[in-house]
Amino acid sequence: MSNKNVWNYAGLHLAILSWGAAGVTSKLMTTDPAGIVVYRSIIAAIVLGLFCSLTRKGKGVSKRDQAYMIATGAMIGLHWWGFFAAIKVSTVSIALVCISSAPIFVALLQPIVEKTALKPSQILLGIISVAGIGIMFNFEYEHRLGIAIGLAAGAIDAVYSIMTSRTRETISNVYVTQMHMIGAFAVVMLISTAVDPSMNWLALETRTDYIGILFLGLVCSAIAMSLYVISIKQLSAFTATLSLNLEAVYGMIIALAVFGASEHMSPGFYIGAIMLVGSVVADAMLSSLNARKQVIEEMA
């Protein structure tokens, strides 16, 4: 492996590790989930905006493309909101496993968007995923609200992924991320303000809240997103997709180290989690094999 690839792998896993740590960080904070998203997204938007201004990224992008990217960002804002809310009402482990369902939702939704038939393998993996979710619900019934919110966050993440894939490729990835952060900030700010005009959900009460906000905004968003984009441009899509599943693994290990017994789940939960995450990994592997097969057939 070349030194360049070593750095790309390191950057990819540092980004994923920071996302795994994001859940633990939010659990330690007293700030409302909506407030966490608002602070995280606006800090990232400002940092990325400064970078885009200095490098003149995003110059000449149409208003229509900007509006589409902001709308796409609204999806990641709702996803984060759901993720942090699931953690607050259950555990980090449950929230991480549930949002790992996103690729399965992508596999089920994309054929509808692109008007293509579902593959038999996707139907089978979808059934296994649903069975895994059912097992988790059965064994962790007291955390059913957290599981439901986490799965909703995973479904929203799938919509975000599909919308992002349809963004014009000529637009700078850094500028795209900046627009996404603006969209995330706007949607959560508007909804939360309408629900609670007092804006108490923005309160930062402890030192951990302030440190957490900076960590989530700078490290987990601005820096991690940049590292991820740089890395996946040099590595295969399969490597990136498969590696993303480690977010749940990294996060669960960190959560167990920080919170101890409160993060211990029943054996049934882990069986369901393995079925769900295993389906995601299997789908990534099958997609990679099908892509390689198609390339070979085109070359023949």
Side-chain angles (χ1 to χ4, degrees):
M1 185 185 295
S2 67
N3 288 334
K4 186 176 182 181
N5 272 344
V6 169
W7 283 110
N8 286 325
Y9 275 106
L12 174 63
H13 285 276
L14 281 172
I16 295 170
L17 178 62
S18 76
W19 292 333
V24 174
T25 302
S26 70
K27 186 77 170 180
L28 292 168
M29 297 168 63
T30 63
T31 310
D32 186 86
I36 294 175
V37 177
V38 165
Y39 285 120
R40 176 182 185 175
S41 54
I42 196 61
I43 289 172
I46 291 170
V47 172
L48 293 170
L50 290 172
F51 177 81
C52 288
S53 297
L54 292 172
T55 57
R56 301 181 68 80
K57 301 287 186 182
K59 185 179 180 181
V61 177
S62 69
K63 297 294 184 183
R64 182 176 181 178
D65 282 330
Q66 289 177 340
Y68 180 79
M69 289 184 288
I70 289 173
T72 304
M75 294 298 102
I76 197 63
L78 294 174
H79 161 72
W80 282 346
W81 196 357
F83 174 53
F84 294 136
I87 288 172
K88 294 289 187 182
V89 300
S90 58
T91 70
V92 175
S93 297
I94 285 175
L96 283 168
V97 168
C98 288
I99 65 167
S100 296
S101 64
I104 291 297
F105 284 114
V106 171
L108 297 174
L109 290 173
Q110 203 155 30
I112 298 173
V113 174
E114 298 179 355
K115 297 180 180 179
T116 57
L118 268 173
K119 297 175 183 177
S121 62
Q122 292 173 328
I123 296 173
L124 176 61
L125 292 174
I127 293 172
I128 294 173
S129 298
V130 171
I133 291 166
I135 291 171
M136 287 192 297
F137 260 111
N138 185 55
F139 282 89
E140 297 295 336
Y141 191 73
E142 69 274 20
H143 294 305
R144 60 191 181 280
L145 179 59
I147 294 173
I149 296 173
L151 290 172
I156 294 170
D157 191 27
V159 175
Y160 166 75
S161 297
I162 293 171
M163 291 179 70
T164 299
S165 69
R166 300 166 78 87
T167 302
R168 202 182 303 277
E169 293 182 2
T170 54
I171 303 174
S172 163
N173 287 312
V174 177
Y175 184 72
V176 170
T177 305
Q178 181 201 355
M179 292 294 102
H180 287 179
M181 293 301 98
I182 292 173
F185 166 79
V187 70
V188 178
M189 188 74 181
L190 288 172
I191 294 174
S192 297
T193 302
V195 173
D196 182 7
S198 70
M199 303 182 82
N200 289 329
W201 44 274
L202 282 174
L204 297 172
E205 299 176 353
T206 67
R207 180 181 297 179
T208 302
D209 291 344
Y210 287 96
I211 295 173
I213 287 302
L214 290 174
F215 176 73
L216 291 170
L218 295 175
V219 179
C220 297
S221 299
I223 296 174
M225 292 288 283
S226 299
L227 283 174
Y228 180 72
V229 168
I230 292 169
S231 299
I232 62 174
K233 282 187 173 181
Q234 304 299 323
L235 302 172
S236 68
F238 173 70
T239 298
T241 303
L242 201 59
S243 297
L244 276 174
N245 293 295
L246 290 173
E247 179 184 346
V249 177
Y250 289 152
M252 289 171 73
I253 291 172
I254 297 170
L256 284 169
V258 174
F259 301 114
S262 65
E263 284 291 328
H264 290 168
M265 301 290 108
S266 65
F269 168 81
Y270 292 110
I271 292 172
I274 289 170
M275 291 174 67
L276 176 58
V277 177
S279 298
V280 173
V281 173
D283 181 62
M285 295 178 71
L286 288 172
S287 297
S288 178
L289 288 172
N290 289 333
R292 290 178 184 177
K293 183 180 179 181
Q294 185 175 355
V295 171
I296 293 172
E297 289 176 351
E298 291 175 352
M299 292 176 64

